[in-house]
Amino acid sequence: SLILMLSISFIIYEFFSVKTVSESKLNYTNRLTSTTLSREDYRLLVSFIHAETQQSTYNEKLAVVNVILNRLYNDTFSNNLYDIIYNYDKFASTSNGTLNKHLWEYDCGTFNTKHHINTLKAVNDALEGKNNIDNRLYYNNYYSYANYAYNNMSIINNFIFW
C-alpha cells in the first residue's frame, strides 16, 4: 500500500524527479560547527520539537530540529530561537497550547517517555552537528503538501522538507 511505502521510505524530490531511499540508507552530514544554547533556549527547543513531532520517528525529529537550526544560521530569519519558534510561520504548537503543555512537562521532570527520550536524542545529535536534511528551511505534514512540487524537496515518513 502507498501509506505503508511512505512510512518506511525516504523519498527525495530533486528538481521534480523522485528517488526513493530506504530510511536505513538516509544520508547524514555534519554541520561545520556545533550549536550551543542557553538552558532556556534548550528547554524551548526540546519542548517545541516534541510538540511538533510527538510520536514521530527519530529521523523525523532530527529533520525538524535541523530546520530550526538552519533558520538560526540563515540571514532570512532571526538569529534568536524564541523569535524563530514564536514569530515565523505561526507553528500550530505555539498557538494551540501544545508547546505550553510540553514546556510544563519538561519543567516538571515528566519528560521521560520513549518519545520524549527520542526527542532529546534528536535535539542533542542536531546540536552536535548531525543533519539529515542539508540546508532546508521549511517543513510541514506531508499530506498537507503532497500536491505541491518544490525544488530539492524531501519526504521523511509523514513530513515534507524544502
Side-chain angles (χ1 to χ4, degrees), residues 39-157:
R39 279 188 179 180
E40 190 59 29
D41 279 350
Y42 180 80
R43 169 188 171 264
L44 177 60
L45 182 60
V46 166
S47 300
F48 173 76
I49 296 304
H50 194 69
E52 288 287 304
T53 61
Q54 299 195 25
Q55 297 180 8
S56 299
T57 67
Y58 166 82
N59 282 318
E60 290 168 307
K61 291 173 184 283
L62 181 65
V64 173
V65 178
N66 276 295
V67 165
I68 301 305
L69 295 180
N70 288 344
R71 288 180 179 198
L72 270 175
Y73 291 110
N74 185 291
D75 292 338
T76 306
F77 297 91
S78 170
N79 64 354
N80 179 298
L81 185 66
Y82 181 93
D83 290 344
I84 289 171
I85 290 173
Y86 283 102
N87 294 336
Y88 293 107
D89 298 330
K90 298 183 175 136
F91 296 108
S93 66
T94 62
S95 60
N96 67 14
T98 308
L99 176 56
N100 289 335
K101 173 189 171 210
H102 293 295
L103 286 165
W104 180 82
E105 287 175 347
Y106 186 91
D107 293 343
C108 291
T110 58
F111 212 83
N112 56 14
T113 69
K114 73 176 185 175
H115 298 296
H116 289 117
I117 303 305
N118 235 1
T119 299
L120 290 166
K121 180 173 175 21
V123 169
N124 291 335
D125 287 350
L127 290 172
E128 290 175 6
K130 191 171 187 178
N131 186 338
N132 60 347
I133 59 157
D134 298 320
N135 62 353
R136 292 174 178 87
L137 298 170
Y138 302 94
Y139 72 92
N140 210 317
N141 178 296
Y142 169 75
Y143 300 103
S144 300
Y145 281 75
N147 294 325
Y148 295 93
Y150 295 100
N151 284 338
N152 205 20
M153 181 171 64
S154 293
I155 298 170
I156 302 175
N157 299 333

